[in-house]
Amino acid sequence: MISALTHVGRLARANYVFAREGVLSLVDPAPLPLPAQFGLRAAKLIARPTNDSQAGRISAALTRLGPTYVKLGQFLATRPDVVGIAIARDLESLQDRMPAFPQAEAVMTVERAFGRPIDQIYASFGNAIAAASIAQVHRAQVTTPDGLRQVAVKVLRPGIERRFRIDQDAFAFAAEKAESLSAEARRLRLVETAETLRRSMALEMDLRLEAAALSEMAENTKDDPDFRVPAVDWDRTTKEVLTLEWIDGIHLSNHAALLAKGFDLKELARAVIQSFLRHAL
């Protein structure tokens, strides 16, 4: 009973944020039972004025609710059958929307993972350059016989496993209740969706698994032209910390920057498609 009340409380907070960001006002109340219709009308009264698109409102609400909900949004981006094609596409922008956690906490996580001061692990350890729902990335340097080498260091968010576990229990609770009340929810298989999210998150919480996948991919593609996987620094990799070779790059969507660097976009497109087909087949 206490567990159920905890889930209800967390879901109530989420509903308040969705209402405040105007997300619930996007829901068609017609097919819903009368109590739910009344709730949606009440939600419109507290919605803040905004010119954001539907997806913009959803993204704002998910970001405000924290890492677990951002990850849920990313997951729903792969389920246009649930949220619609337009919203699914816009939810893809949630990939790097989370604020970074403090540098001191990142240093503490690294030192705890290796059991020694950070200056004995890295020659330098810079501030976060990108932050997502599960981890953030720092630019660092390591000392080698040939001098300093640039590396990228991915660090898990402190307490993220516990937070995900609590929020995912609430998702599962909500999915079970929805399927018990709605044939549409059963058609969308919300319980199965919640369980799939839980399993995928469990894998992402151990950065050693990501490192192993990278190393396997590097071995499998070592003879592929136009493709290279960043090398894993296994001596500086644990469950909570992943250290990789640093590679400067340009996002594929930034056509102007690619052209400024002298890339042939047609040739680049060919390389991307050929690499995808080799990996898929």
Side-chain angles (χ1 to χ4, degrees):
M1 186 65 177
I2 295 176
S3 179
L5 288 175
T6 300
H7 295 332
V8 169
R10 286 184 171 272
L11 293 170
R13 175 181 176 272
N15 282 330
Y16 171 79
V17 173
F18 285 133
R20 184 66 178 148
E21 296 296 335
V23 175
L24 297 184
S25 64
L26 305 175
V27 179
D28 180 9
L32 300 177
L34 287 177
Q37 292 183 24
F38 175 79
L40 289 178
R41 294 191 186 97
K44 292 181 180 180
L45 299 177
I46 64 172
R48 67 178 181 83
T50 179
N51 294 321
D52 289 347
S53 64
Q54 292 185 12
R57 298 183 199 181
I58 297 172
S59 296
L62 293 174
T63 301
R64 183 176 167 187
L65 285 167
T68 312
Y69 285 85
V70 169
K71 181 55 67 175
L72 175 63
Q74 294 171 2
F75 184 76
L76 290 176
T78 69
R79 293 291 307 271
D81 57 312
V82 175
V83 298
I85 294 175
I87 291 178
R89 286 176 178 170
D90 284 328
L91 286 176
E92 292 173 357
S93 67
L94 285 169
Q95 184 173 358
D96 297 310
R97 288 282 296 273
M98 293 300 298
F101 56 87
Q103 176 78 355
E105 293 185 19
V107 170
M108 187 181 304
T109 298
V110 173
E111 292 182 337
R112 182 176 62 246
F114 292 101
R116 59 185 191 270
I118 197 165
D119 58 8
Q120 294 182 14
I121 308 165
Y122 302 103
S124 68
F125 186 80
N127 293 326
I129 59 170
S133 56
I134 290 178
Q136 65 187 32
V137 176
H138 297 254
R139 187 169 186 165
Q141 293 179 315
V142 297
T143 303
T144 72
D146 299 323
L148 294 177
R149 177 165 57 90
Q150 302 286 333
V151 294
V153 183
K154 185 174 182 179
V155 184
L156 278 186
R157 288 183 173 273
I160 191 65
E161 287 187 89
R162 180 178 181 276
R163 181 164 185 174
F164 265 98
R165 184 170 60 253
I166 292 172
D167 286 339
Q168 286 170 345
D169 285 346
F171 292 165
F173 176 81
E176 290 173 3
K177 292 301 179 185
E179 285 200 7
S180 69
L181 297 172
S182 168
E184 179 66 11
R186 291 191 292 274
R187 183 188 71 80
L188 294 174
R189 297 191 291 185
L190 296 184
V191 170
E192 182 179 330
T193 298
E195 181 56 31
T196 300
L197 179 63
R198 183 193 298 275
R199 289 197 302 268
S200 72
M201 290 304 94
L203 293 175
E204 291 191 46
M205 293 297 171
D206 189 339
L207 296 182
R208 294 170 298 187
L209 298 177
E210 181 175 342
L214 283 166
S215 295
E216 182 178 5
M217 190 176 190
E219 178 63 25
N220 291 341
T221 60
K222 62 183 180 181
D223 297 324
D224 287 7
D226 307 316
F227 191 88
R228 183 161 68 89
V229 178
V232 175
D233 184 339
W234 282 101
D235 291 334
R236 297 176 177 86
T237 293
T238 69
K239 180 180 179 181
E240 297 172 305
V241 181
L242 169 61
T243 303
L244 295 170
E245 171 188 7
W246 178 273
I247 296 180
D248 288 311
I250 300 171
H251 199 286
L252 278 176
S253 64
N254 192 345
H255 294 174
L258 291 170
L259 290 171
K261 285 287 187 179
F263 285 100
D264 182 331
L265 297 190
K266 289 185 178 180
E267 178 61 21
L268 185 58
R270 182 204 63 78
V272 169
I273 294 299
Q274 288 296 325
S275 294
F276 168 77
L277 290 174
R278 276 194 296 269
H279 300 170
L281 298 176

